[in-house]
Amino acid sequence: MTTLIDDVTVIGGVDTHKHTHYAAVIDAHGRLLGHQQFPATSPGYGALRSWMRGYGHLASIGVESTGSYGAALARELTRQGEQVVEVNRPNRIARRMDGKSDRLDAEQIARAVLGETSTAIPKSKSGMIEVIRTLRVTRSSAVKSRTQAFNALSGIMIGAPSTLRDELVDLTKRTLVNRCLRLRPETEDLLSLATAPERMHLAGTKLALRDLARRWKALDDEIKQLSAQIDALVTNAAPDLIQLHGVGTEIAGQFLVTVGDNTDRIRTEAAFAKLCGVAPQPASSGRTTGRHRLSRSGDRAANSALYIIAIVRMRRHEPTRAYVERRTAEGLSKREIIRCLKRYIAREIYANLPQTRT
C-alpha cells in the first residue's frame, strides 16, 4: 500500500564541515521540511540518509565541498545508490539578504539542486586516479621541502667561515650536497666550545650543513620513489594518453586528476575544454556580436599542462609547426595561435582519456 509520504519528492542539501555535517530537506516546491546536524562519521552518514528518506522519495542530494570535507559523505551516499550533486558556489544574493548559518547554507544547497543551477557530478575519489592524486600531492610537498632545504643549505654555505666556504662555493648542486654529507664537525656538543668562538662557529656551520644535506637526500629519495609509483600507475591507467606527442606521465597524471576516476561525468569534449579553461566565452553586447573572450575559469593546472604540450609541439611536432606557419601568414599572433592549439589539444586529450570501468 502506498502511503502519502511515498508520494512526496524531496531534495537534500548538506553543508559539510570537519567534524559535523548540517543537512536540510526541501520538497519539490522549495518548502523547507526539516534541518538537522549529524556527525561526520560513517554512522552519521547512515543516519543522515535515513533521516532524509523519512520525508519522502529522495530524488537527489546536494553536497558541498565533495573534494574535501564532503568527500567521504559523497562517496558513501553514492555507494548507497543516491544521486549526489556537487554544489560549491553558494547563492550570494540569498546570503547577502538572509545572512549565513549552517542551516541557511544547507537549505541554499538543496535549492541549488532543485533549481538545477548546480548539476555537476562529483568525482568518485575511490579508484586508481584518486591514488595518483594523493601521491602527486605528497610528491609536490616533498619537492617544495627539498627546495627549501637546499636554499637553506646554500644560504648557510655562503655565510660560512672562509676555510669551509672556499671549499664548497664552486661545487654543483648534487656535488655540494654529497660533500656536505661527509662533513665531520669537531664535536656535537657545541656548548663545550663556548670559550673558542671561531671553532664553535665552524663546528656549528658544519653541523647545520650536514643535517640539511641529510634532509635533502632523504627528500630526494622519497621523491624518486613516489615518481616511480606515479609513473607506473599513470602508465597503467592511461596507456593511450601517454603515447600522444608532448604528453608524459606527469602531464597525463594531471589530466587524470582533473577528470577523476569516473570519467563519464565529463560527457562531451566541449565540457572537458571548459573544465580546462580553453573554451572561448561569448562576450557580445549591444552592437558587438560574435565576440568571444579568453576563459579564466576551469582547472588552471590542466590549462598549464595544455600550454606545455602546445609549446613542445610548436618546437618539435611537424604538423603543429606547419599549422603555426599557416596561421601566422593569416595574421594571427603567437598568443592567439597558442590559444587555438590548446583547444585542439584538449579535443585530442579527451578522445584518449580512459573510459570509466563499471
Side-chain angles (χ1 to χ4, degrees):
M1 180 178 177
T2 302
T3 61
L4 181 61
I5 197 171
D6 294 326
D7 296 332
V8 178
T9 298
V10 299
I11 295 173
V14 186
D15 181 30
T16 59
H17 302 282
K18 183 177 182 179
H19 299 295
T20 61
H21 296 329
Y22 206 98
V25 176
I26 62 174
D27 63 14
H29 300 286
R31 293 173 296 201
L32 179 65
L33 301 179
H35 55 89
Q36 188 171 327
Q37 182 173 275
F38 297 88
T41 60
S42 294
Y45 304 151
L48 182 149
R49 176 173 177 267
S50 298
W51 174 79
M52 285 186 173
R53 283 192 164 273
Y55 285 95
H57 171 65
L58 187 57
S60 56
I61 306 173
V63 179
E64 180 193 42
S65 302
T66 58
S68 54
Y69 289 144
L73 173 63
R75 190 159 47 234
E76 177 62 21
L77 292 175
T78 301
R79 189 181 69 83
Q80 294 292 336
E82 302 295 349
Q83 181 181 352
V84 179
V85 178
E86 180 179 7
V87 181
N88 282 328
R89 183 181 289 271
N91 187 322
R92 297 183 179 179
I93 297 177
R95 176 170 290 184
R96 190 176 300 115
M97 294 176 62
D98 301 333
K100 182 188 184 307
S101 70
D102 292 344
R103 181 191 69 79
L104 290 171
D105 286 347
E107 184 180 346
Q108 290 303 324
I109 289 169
R111 295 187 189 284
V113 177
L114 175 62
E116 296 185 352
T117 57
S118 293
T119 58
I121 301 172
K123 296 178 182 178
S124 63
K125 302 181 79 68
S126 59
M128 184 183 297
I129 294 176
E130 176 61 13
V131 176
I132 293 172
R133 185 195 71 82
T134 303
L135 294 180
R136 282 171 56 89
V137 170
T138 306
R139 184 183 61 180
S140 177
S141 174
V143 169
K144 291 179 181 178
S145 298
R146 184 182 62 176
T147 300
Q148 291 175 343
F150 184 81
N151 289 343
L153 184 149
S154 179
I156 292 174
M157 181 268 295
I158 292 297
S162 296
T163 54
L164 181 60
R165 181 184 184 278
D166 295 345
E167 179 185 348
L168 303 175
V169 70
D170 292 326
L171 300 179
T172 58
K173 185 175 185 176
R174 195 168 289 273
T175 305
L176 173 61
V177 171
N178 291 332
R179 180 67 186 85
C180 290
L181 285 171
R182 297 194 297 271
L183 290 176
R184 295 295 178 266
E186 181 180 342
T187 177
E188 300 282 343
D189 183 13
L190 298 178
L191 190 59
S192 64
L193 300 176
T195 57
E198 292 185 358
R199 290 169 58 194
M200 183 173 68
H201 183 200
L202 181 60
T205 303
K206 286 184 176 180
L207 185 64
L209 290 175
R210 186 196 64 187
D211 289 349
L212 284 169
R214 288 176 177 175
R215 185 185 306 173
W216 188 95
K217 186 68 167 61
L219 289 167
D220 189 59
D221 291 340
E222 179 184 339
I223 292 167
K224 289 179 180 177
Q225 293 174 6
L226 288 169
S227 296
Q229 290 275 9
I230 293 170
D231 289 349
L233 291 172
V234 171
T235 301
N236 180 271
D240 296 333
L241 196 57
I242 61 175
Q243 296 301 319
L244 301 179
H245 191 97
V247 180
T249 53
E250 175 64 23
I251 298 295
Q254 177 57 59
F255 289 126
L256 292 177
V257 171
T258 297
V259 174
D261 287 284
N262 46 334
T263 55
D264 57 339
R265 74 191 191 95
I266 310 298
R267 297 186 178 91
T268 65
E269 164 259 322
F272 177 72
K274 186 173 183 179
L275 178 62
C276 294
V278 294
Q281 294 183 337
S284 300
S285 177
R287 290 179 294 178
T288 60
T289 58
R291 181 173 174 269
H292 292 77
R293 65 178 178 85
L294 178 66
S295 171
R296 295 292 184 186
S297 61
D299 188 328
R300 305 316 297 172
N303 188 282
S304 176
L306 289 173
Y307 177 82
I308 293 172
I309 297 172
I311 296 300
V312 170
R313 292 188 176 187
M314 288 172 68
R315 293 174 178 174
R316 302 172 184 173
H317 190 233
E318 286 305 321
T320 303
R321 291 168 63 89
Y323 173 82
V324 171
E325 292 178 1
R326 178 171 63 84
R327 298 294 276 174
T328 300
E330 293 175 359
L332 269 67
S333 66
K334 182 178 180 180
R335 178 179 294 182
E336 292 170 330
I337 294 172
I338 291 175
R339 290 176 185 172
C340 295
L341 283 173
K342 286 163 68 176
R343 182 63 180 83
Y344 293 142
I345 294 169
R347 180 177 299 145
E348 188 177 357
I349 295 295
Y350 179 78
N352 287 274
L353 286 172
Q355 299 300 312
T356 300
R357 298 175 182 175
T358 57

